[in-house]
Amino acid sequence: MFMNGEELCSIEDLKRCFSIEELLYCYESGGLEIWLRKIGETQKAEQIRHIQKTDAFILIEIYRILGLNPHFSEEEIRESVNHQKPL
C-alpha cells in the first residue's frame, strides 16, 4: 500500500506518511484490509472488515483499530513517529 508516494511496510510507516484522504480511499477500496493482512496484522484486518460501511464514525473506528489519536491532525500523527510523541 502507498501513502503520500511512499510504500508502507508497517503501521509505523503509515503514521509517518499519514493522509486521511488516502487512508479513507484505501479503506473504501478494500486495500487497507488487504495491506494489514499482508504485513501480518490479521486481527486489525478482521476488525477493519467488520466496520459497518453505514457507520457515521468510520474514521474514528479506523483510528481506534490502528492506534491513532482521533484528536490529532495529520501533521501531529506524522510528527508523533518522527518525535515519538505518544498517540
Side-chain angles (χ1 to χ4, degrees):
M1 184 169 85
F2 286 85
M3 191 169 285
N4 278 323
E6 291 193 40
E7 185 173 6
L8 308 179
C9 298
S10 68
I11 292 178
E12 289 300 310
D13 287 348
L14 181 142
K15 292 175 185 176
R16 185 175 46 77
C17 302
F18 191 72
S19 164
I20 292 172
E21 287 181 25
E22 292 182 50
L23 179 69
L24 286 174
Y25 174 80
C26 291
Y27 166 74
E28 288 292 329
S29 70
L32 180 59
E33 179 187 345
I34 292 167
W35 175 75
L36 286 167
R37 289 185 192 287
K38 182 179 175 183
I39 65 166
E41 295 283 354
T42 54
Q43 183 178 9
K44 286 179 176 31
E46 281 299 312
Q47 291 173 324
I48 292 291
R49 186 167 69 91
H50 286 98
I51 296 174
Q52 297 296 316
K53 298 273 187 194
T54 57
D55 188 341
F57 299 101
I58 288 173
L59 189 57
I60 300 291
E61 279 299 302
I62 294 171
Y63 273 44
R64 181 188 61 76
I65 292 165
L66 297 176
L68 303 172
N69 185 329
H71 301 289
F72 280 12
S73 69
E74 289 182 354
E75 292 165 2
E76 288 174 314
I77 290 171
R78 288 190 296 265
E79 288 175 7
S80 71
V81 174
N82 297 327
H83 304 297
Q84 296 304 311
K85 184 178 182 180
L87 292 174

